[in-house]
């Protein structure tokens, strides 16, 4: 939070808010610092190579955010003179910026009276008013309540204070109600167990998809990698060769789908949970000669794999085949 009288940098606010979507502060901190060291301004990020941005983002997840991050930086640099719009509507016209992010930037960076509603604020508001409607149906009421509470004076500080309150006091489990400034007015505390708020709709079981991943290693201890297509899930990221991910029980997850003929060994299965489905990959490993493996990929030394734009699921697959591949990261 910026100190009173100090205006927050819109670039810093935008970058942090995008990174914090579906991700914890603890996980984001190192990435935020890395991005600012590599690209101190939005113009620097706009002129960065796409591949470098994806590499720097690797491991943070939800990779569409990284692609939109680059597109948004380009839009700000090329169409707005390097300055972020200072209104919610203007901000929402930029790639990857939705209602919440626009409100947060408008309030924190430009001191606009915007209703900022993240997961922490949802929890505070749902308990303060004992909102019975489950998420996400309760969001409109929550946003309306926040709009009423938001003061004309220092709305950005109010937004950050509410987020901090939810993160440190009004926590999901064992909230410190005795320390809460809203204690005397909290309806959930007076009528029910605050931990039961916000109400949540029953979760549907995530569908299961299956696939195979092939980790080829040559005599120089290099791994064969390739780049995924730019569109779709994990678009533009780096991967080891593999099959499509299918929900069919008879999906192609065996050696029959090998990318090239080699003495493949079964290394077992890894699991990874995405937002909308669970993935189980059968992992195979083979020591091969480079001849006969020509294609659209390249050979990357194991010691430099950490510098590649490998998403977590691919790191899991490689680690299943080469246990010490990412030892330096652990």
């Amino acid at each position: 939070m910026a100190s009173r009288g100090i205006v927050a940098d819109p670039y810093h606010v935008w970058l942090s808010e995008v990174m914090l979507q579906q991700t914890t502060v603890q996980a984001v901190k190192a990435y935020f610092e890395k991005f600012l060291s590599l690209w101190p301004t939005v113009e620097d990020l706009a002129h960065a190579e796409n591949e470098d941005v994806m590499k720097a983002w690797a491991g943070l997840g939800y990779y569409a955010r990284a692609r939109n991050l680059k597109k948004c930086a380009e839009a700000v640099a090329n169409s707005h003179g390097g300055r972020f719009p200072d209104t919610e509507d203007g901000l929402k016209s930029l790639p990857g910026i939705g209602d919440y992010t626009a409100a947060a930037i408008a309030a924190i960076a430009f001191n606009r009276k915007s209703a900022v509603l993240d997961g922490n604020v949802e929890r505070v508001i749902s308990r303060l008013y004992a909102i019975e409607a489950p998420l996400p149906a309760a969001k409109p009421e929550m946003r309306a309540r926040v709009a009423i509470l938001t003061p004309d004076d220092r709305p950005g500080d109010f937004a950050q204070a509410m987020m901090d309150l939810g993160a440190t006091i009004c926590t999901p489990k064992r909230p410190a109600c005795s320390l809460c400034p809203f204690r005397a007015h909290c309806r959930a505390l007076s009528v029910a167990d605050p931990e039961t708020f916000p109400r949540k709709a029953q979760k549907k079981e995530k569908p299961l998809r299956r696939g195979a991943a092939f980790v080829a290693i040559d005599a120089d201890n290099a791994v064969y990698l390739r780049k995924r297509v730019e569109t779709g899930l994990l678009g533009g990221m780096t991967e080891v060769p593999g099959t499509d991910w299918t929900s069919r029980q008879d999906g192609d997850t065996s050696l029959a789908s090998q990318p090239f003929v080699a003495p493949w060994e079964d290394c077992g299965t890894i699991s990874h949970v995405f937002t909308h489905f669970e993935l189980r990959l059968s992992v195979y490993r083979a020591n091969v000669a480079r001849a006969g493996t020509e294609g659209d990929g390249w050979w990357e030394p194991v010691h430099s794999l950490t510098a590649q734009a490998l998403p977590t699921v691919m790191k899991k697959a490689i680690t299943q085949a080469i246990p010490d591949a990412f030892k330096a990261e652990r």
Side-chain angles (χ1 to χ4, degrees), residues 9-329:
D9 186 323
Y11 173 56
H12 293 185
V13 176
W14 164 71
L15 182 61
S16 65
E17 291 298 339
V18 172
M19 287 185 167
L20 285 167
Q21 293 168 10
Q22 306 292 324
T23 312
T24 65
V25 172
Q26 184 177 3
V28 161
K29 184 178 179 181
Y31 285 88
F32 178 74
E33 293 172 349
K34 176 168 63 175
F35 266 70
L36 288 184
S37 68
L38 291 171
W39 305 293
T41 69
V42 70
E43 290 94 341
D44 293 327
L45 182 57
H47 295 134
E49 295 293 333
N50 283 327
E51 187 173 354
D52 291 337
V53 174
M54 298 305 286
K55 285 180 180 179
W57 190 277
L60 197 55
Y62 299 93
Y63 294 95
R65 292 182 298 171
R67 296 193 293 273
N68 283 328
L69 195 78
K70 182 68 165 64
K71 292 176 183 176
C72 184
E74 291 171 347
V76 172
N78 299 330
S79 302
H80 296 273
R83 294 178 177 273
F84 282 85
D86 62 0
T87 65
E88 285 189 65
D89 287 342
L91 289 162
K92 284 191 286 188
S93 71
L94 297 172
I97 295 185
D99 291 342
Y100 163 71
T101 305
I105 298 171
I108 298 169
F110 299 110
N111 214 32
R112 297 283 188 180
K113 186 179 179 180
S114 300
V116 181
L117 187 70
D118 75 344
N120 289 314
V121 179
E122 287 175 356
R123 190 162 52 254
V124 173
I125 294 299
S126 69
R127 292 171 177 175
L128 181 59
Y129 295 101
I131 296 174
E132 290 292 343
L135 287 170
K139 283 181 180 286
E141 180 182 354
M142 291 179 179
R143 186 171 287 107
R145 298 280 191 180
V146 173
I148 293 171
L149 288 176
T150 301
D152 294 324
D153 183 41
R154 298 169 62 196
D157 287 347
F158 174 80
Q160 292 179 93
M162 288 289 283
M163 289 188 277
D164 285 348
L165 179 65
T168 61
I169 302 296
C170 194
T171 51
K173 300 294 183 182
R174 292 184 292 180
C177 297
S178 62
L179 301 177
C180 182
F182 289 137
R183 175 182 172 83
H185 307 283
C186 182
R187 294 179 187 173
L189 184 61
S190 64
V191 302
D193 181 357
E195 284 191 25
T196 63
F197 292 89
R199 307 296 200 201
K200 295 181 180 179
Q202 187 174 0
K203 287 186 177 181
K204 296 181 180 179
E205 185 176 349
K206 291 188 177 183
L208 176 64
R209 296 185 187 179
R210 296 175 173 83
F214 296 88
V215 182
I217 309 164
D218 74 354
D220 296 323
N221 203 32
V223 176
Y224 187 74
L225 301 176
R226 66 186 186 187
K227 186 178 180 181
R228 292 176 65 87
V229 296
E230 291 293 340
T231 57
L233 185 64
L234 306 182
M237 301 297 289
T238 302
E239 66 173 2
V240 294
T243 65
D244 291 336
W245 301 341
T246 176
S247 58
R248 291 177 48 150
Q249 291 287 344
D250 59 349
D252 197 6
T253 63
S254 67
L255 283 176
S257 54
Q258 60 186 313
F260 39 78
V261 177
W264 298 103
E265 301 174 4
D266 188 345
C267 296
T269 303
I270 60 117
S271 295
H272 188 77
V273 178
F274 290 96
T275 304
H276 300 297
F277 67 92
E278 178 184 353
L279 175 66
R280 292 180 189 169
L281 286 180
S282 299
V283 180
Y284 299 92
R285 165 185 169 147
N287 292 92
V288 301
R290 294 196 182 190
T293 60
E294 293 81 2
D296 56 357
W298 70 94
W299 290 92
E300 189 69 35
V302 169
H303 65 76
S304 63
L305 286 175
T306 54
Q308 299 303 306
L310 287 160
T312 300
V313 64
M314 289 300 149
K315 289 183 178 180
K316 286 183 179 180
I318 294 172
T319 300
Q320 187 73 11
I322 313 172
D324 293 334
F326 300 96
K327 187 176 181 180
E329 290 189 357

